[in-house]
């Protein structure tokens, strides 16, 4: 009967009362435990506010994070410094300022001639430094660039000097003819495939780093020297009794113009040595001035060529088009490209550019054509408005064909203009 007493009416009443309390009153939530207090041995770690176990910090983790933040700040500061220094160096290389960084180094032997004052006067008018110091090759001129060394240490040099590769050598007319004659005699009996000995014209075998240099020769008054000697030879021929062995003209004066041109071609092809013939010291100074300006602007031009769309650089003297960062000006570039075709007026180029505002849109239109003839004549019916009073005319099939071949052909030797 013990089982009947457990499931009697009194027990059922107590269960009903307990169920009624649970429906009317919410259960009280357990009191939060102290998160800092350690539980008994073997108990799980204390839970955080979200009910997840609290992660234990590894010793030294905060210091490692702090060092990482400091390293990132130093790296960002170094990157900003490099950008500022690069911008400052770029400003120094601009055409209006780059000439101040150049220094012309001339050999003192160039001052021996009485007419050398003329070229020194031209050199002094340049906005650059110049000095006279002995060079590896007598009577030669070299160039160097003195750049501020912004990345140097406090104990390092403040100016970084760079030697340029150009070397200009002044040769006397008599000496130049003798060198050319020796060169022509060296390959008269030599095998056809042998390399000529250019050291007879410009001795570079014993010079260190000569392979990295670009040499050019300047000769002042060669024509006047040859005419003077030819006149002297004619006068001696009229009075043979007054001739002396020392006054006999050398074999180099008998060189013809063809022989001289052949020797110059050998210098250009085998040694990449350019020869410049001048009449006066004034022309020599002007050549040195022009060469100095070209060398000074070389880094600036090289930087421009490395950028995207270098032909879009602003400049009124070059008639270029400026392209902004938002793409403004690209349409003008596309129109200028079309205008480069023969017999294409600005109005015709503008009409084609308005119909197809970009090269990609024109290529897409070619792809949508079904036949080859349709592609060639795609632009022929585009109207071209010359002015308000005149009638409209069309682009025409010839220009349409030329532009199509230019856009799709892969043959670099293809002739676009049949009338050329």
């Amino acid at each position: 009967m013990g089982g009947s007493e457990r499931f009697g009416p009194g027990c059922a009443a107590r269960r009903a009362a307990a169920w009624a309390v649970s429906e009317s009153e919410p259960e009280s939530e357990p009191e939060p435990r102290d998160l800092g207090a350690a539980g008994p041995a073997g108990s799980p770690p204390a839970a955080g506010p979200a009910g997840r176990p609290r992660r234990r910090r590894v010793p030294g983790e905060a210091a490692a994070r702090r060092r990482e933040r400091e390293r990132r700040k130093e790296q960002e500061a170094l990157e900003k410094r490099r950008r500022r220094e690069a911008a400052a160096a770029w400003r120094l290389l601009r055409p209006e300022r780059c000439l101040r960084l150049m220094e012309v180094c001339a050999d003192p032997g160039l001052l021996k001639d009485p007419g050398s004052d003329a070229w020194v006067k031209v050199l002094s008018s340049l906005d650059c430094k110049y000095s006279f110091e002995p060079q590896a090759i007598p009577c030669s001129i070299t160039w160097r660039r003195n750049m501020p060394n912004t990345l140097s240490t406090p104990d390092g040099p403040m100016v970084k000097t760079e030697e340029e590769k150009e070397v200009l050598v002044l040769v006397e007319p008599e000496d130049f003819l003798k060198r050319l004659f020796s060169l022509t005699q060296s390959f008269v009996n030599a095998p056809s495939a042998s390399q000529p000995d250019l050291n007879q014209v410009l001795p570079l075998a014993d010079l260190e780093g000569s392979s990295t240099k670009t040499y050019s020769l300047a000769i002042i008054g060669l024509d006047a020297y040859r005419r003077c000697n030819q006149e002297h030879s004619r006068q001696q021929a009229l009075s043979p009794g007054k001739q002396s062995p020392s006054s006999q003209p050398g074999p180099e004066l008998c060189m013809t113009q063809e022989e001289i041109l052949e020797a110059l071609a050998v210098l250009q092809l085998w040694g990449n040595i350019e020869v410049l013939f001048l009449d006066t010291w004034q022309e020599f100074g002007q050549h040195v001035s022009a060469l100095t300006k070209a060398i000074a602007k070389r880094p600036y031009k090289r930087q421009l060529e490395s950028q995207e769309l270098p032909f879009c650089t602003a400049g009124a003297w070059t008639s270029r088009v400026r392209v902004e960062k938002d793409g403004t000006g690209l349409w003008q570039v596309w129109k200028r490209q079309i205008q480069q075709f023969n017999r294409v007026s600005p109005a015709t180029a503008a009409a084609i550019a308005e119909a197809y505002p970009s090269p990609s849109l024109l290529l897409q239109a070619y792809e949508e054509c079904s036949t080859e003839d349709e592609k060639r004549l795609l632009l022929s019916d585009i109207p071209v408005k010359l002015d308000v009073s005149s009638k409209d005319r069309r682009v025409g099939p010839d220009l349409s064909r030329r532009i199509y071949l230019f856009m799709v052909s892969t043959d670099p030797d293809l002739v676009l203009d049949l009338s050329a």
Side-chain angles (χ1 to χ4, degrees), residues 123-277:
L123 184 63
S124 60
S125 63
L126 292 175
D127 191 14
C128 68
K129 299 180 180 179
Y130 64 93
S131 60
F132 294 93
E133 53 189 52
Q135 300 296 314
I137 302 178
C139 296
S140 64
I141 298 177
T142 59
W143 288 263
R144 59 190 175 205
R145 192 185 307 271
N146 301 318
M147 290 288 296
N149 195 1
T150 55
L151 296 178
S152 61
T153 58
D155 299 333
M158 297 302 296
V159 178
K160 180 176 61 175
T161 302
E162 299 177 356
E163 294 287 341
E164 299 294 335
K165 64 179 182 179
E166 281 77 14
V167 179
L168 178 62
V169 184
L170 179 66
V171 184
E172 294 292 333
E174 181 181 2
D175 191 16
F176 175 72
L177 288 178
K178 289 181 179 180
R179 295 183 186 185
L180 279 191
F181 182 77
S182 301
L183 176 64
T184 55
Q185 293 299 314
S186 65
F187 57 80
V188 168
N189 299 323
S192 59
S194 62
Q195 182 176 357
D197 185 12
L198 301 182
N199 286 321
Q200 299 186 24
V201 178
L202 190 61
L204 302 174
D206 299 332
L207 294 181
E208 183 180 358
S210 60
S211 59
T212 60
K213 299 291 185 178
T214 302
Y215 296 92
S216 59
L217 305 180
I219 297 90
I220 301 177
L222 179 63
D223 293 338
Y225 173 77
R226 295 184 67 192
R227 287 195 301 267
C228 181
N229 282 274
Q230 290 173 1
E231 182 65 25
H232 183 66
S233 300
R234 284 194 297 267
Q235 292 178 0
Q236 288 184 347
L238 296 177
S239 57
K242 299 181 180 180
Q243 291 184 8
S244 61
S246 59
S247 62
Q248 292 291 335
E252 68 276 359
L253 292 175
C254 299
M255 294 180 63
T256 62
Q257 188 69 18
E258 290 75 12
E259 292 175 343
I260 294 177
L261 293 177
E262 181 182 359
L264 295 179
V266 171
L267 290 177
Q268 180 68 37
L269 296 176
W270 287 93
N272 195 23
I273 299 175
E274 182 182 0
V275 181
L276 182 67
F277 297 101

